[in-house]
Amino acid sequence: MASRKVGQWKAYAKENGTARLLLKVLRGARRRFRDHFLARRIGCSSLRLGRNPRVAGLRHLSIGRNFRAGDCFWLEAVTDYEGIMYHPHIEIGHGVCISDFVHIAATNKVVIGDGVLVGSRVLITDHNHGEYVGTAQTSPDEAPSSRRLSSGRSVTIGRNVWLGDGVAVLAGASIGEGSVIGANSVVTGPIPPNCIAAGMPARPLRRYDRTDKAWVKEK
């Protein structure tokens, strides 16, 4: 294994120069130190993040083994906003793999099950800027950035779910295990397990038939 790594470094140096190789090694070492520090603070055994991550609310995060996220990952358990305190919890299972430019945020609760795959530019959030249903709704005269964050709903994503690129999973959404959400879809409510869903809002299009071992169209 070590000899293979050395061979890769030699090949990289030949193509890009020794200075570029040294810079690459130093950046890799810095990332490993950062990931080790974050893993210890969060209490997870293995964590690997890409470039320019933003992680906040560490005491309110629970992350399982072998977590991977790409570049510009934003993970935030929001504890305060505009002087208002929140009590969030974000729980991520084992073996979760996340691509680039993904934003996960909670003022209440977000749960992501084992083995979930998340495409690039995905939003997973349990809150809005303002309240738009029920009592004490937000006035449009108030600047959106100053509006109180909602905190009454949650998000649940089951085991082995796949979220395609550009998906938005919003407050009140729940996705059953084994389901696939098509690219650029918006999930606002319940999605059954073992189905393919897409649209705005997302609706089941196919379900997995265990007898035929095939994804069949929903009637």
Side-chain angles (χ1 to χ4, degrees), residues 119-175:
S120 60
R121 302 183 185 279
V122 168
L123 170 66
I124 302 170
T125 181
D126 68 352
H127 59 276
N128 302 308
H129 281 263
E131 296 282 359
Y132 304 98
V133 294
T135 59
Q137 295 186 27
T138 303
S139 168
D141 297 328
E142 186 178 356
S145 62
S146 300
R147 295 174 189 175
R148 175 175 182 155
L149 302 180
S150 60
S151 60
R153 293 190 285 176
S154 61
V155 168
T156 303
I157 300 173
R159 184 176 63 92
N160 291 341
V161 165
W162 173 21
L163 305 178
D165 289 356
V167 167
V169 182
L170 305 182
S174 63
I175 304 174

Side-chain angles (χ1 to χ4, degrees), residues 12-13 16-26:
Y12 186 91
N16 300 280
T18 305
R20 292 281 297 178
L21 172 62
L22 181 60
L23 183 61
K24 179 181 176 68
V25 171
L26 289 174

Side-chain angles (χ1 to χ4, degrees), residues 46-50 65-70 73 95-99:
S46 176
L47 177 150
R48 189 170 71 199
L49 306 180
R65 299 184 303 273
N66 300 321
F67 177 78
R68 303 290 182 267
F73 176 54
V96 172
C97 186
I98 292 174
S99 191

Side-chain angles (χ1 to χ4, degrees), residues 5 40 83 116 120 195:
K5 192 71 175 179
R40 285 178 60 88
V116 168
S120 60
C195 75

Side-chain angles (χ1 to χ4, degrees), residues 4-213:
R4 181 181 177 184
K5 192 71 175 179
V6 170
Q8 291 175 343
W9 287 346
K10 287 182 178 179
Y12 186 91
K14 183 178 180 181
E15 295 294 330
N16 300 280
T18 305
R20 292 281 297 178
L21 172 62
L22 181 60
L23 183 61
K24 179 181 176 68
V25 171
L26 289 174
R27 285 175 175 170
R30 184 176 62 183
R31 288 182 194 174
R32 286 191 296 273
F33 176 80
R34 176 203 65 197
D35 294 348
H36 178 72
F37 172 78
L38 282 174
R40 285 178 60 88
R41 287 293 305 272
I42 296 169
C44 61
S45 60
S46 176
L47 177 150
R48 189 170 71 199
L49 306 180
R51 295 173 294 180
N52 304 318
R54 176 179 174 183
V55 182
L58 300 183
R59 293 180 59 190
H60 303 270
L61 304 178
S62 173
I63 300 178
R65 299 184 303 273
N66 300 321
F67 177 78
R68 303 290 182 267
D71 295 341
C72 301
F73 176 54
W74 181 3
L75 175 65
E76 182 170 10
V78 182
T79 55
D80 67 276
Y81 186 81
E82 292 292 314
I84 299 173
M85 303 301 294
Y86 299 92
H87 304 282
H89 177 67
I90 298 177
E91 180 180 333
I92 300 175
H94 305 305
V96 172
C97 186
I98 292 174
S99 191
D100 299 336
F101 298 98
V102 171
H103 181 191
I104 301 173
T107 57
N108 184 28
K109 189 173 186 179
V110 169
V111 177
I112 300 173
D114 297 345
V116 168
L117 175 63
V118 179
S120 60
R121 302 183 185 279
V122 168
L123 170 66
I124 302 170
T125 181
D126 68 352
H127 59 276
N128 302 308
H129 281 263
E131 296 282 359
Y132 304 98
V133 294
T135 59
Q137 295 186 27
T138 303
S139 168
D141 297 328
E142 186 178 356
S145 62
S146 300
R147 295 174 189 175
R148 175 175 182 155
L149 302 180
S150 60
S151 60
R153 293 190 285 176
S154 61
V155 168
T156 303
I157 300 173
R159 184 176 63 92
N160 291 341
V161 165
W162 173 21
L163 305 178
D165 289 356
V167 167
V169 182
L170 305 182
S174 63
I175 304 174
E177 67 176 39
S179 287
V180 178
I181 308 300
N184 301 313
S185 297
V186 179
V187 185
T188 59
I191 299 294
N194 304 316
C195 75
I196 298 174
M200 300 181 186
R203 294 286 184 268
L205 304 177
R206 292 178 177 267
R207 60 178 175 81
Y208 187 71
D209 188 308
R210 295 193 179 279
T211 301
D212 295 337
K213 296 183 178 180

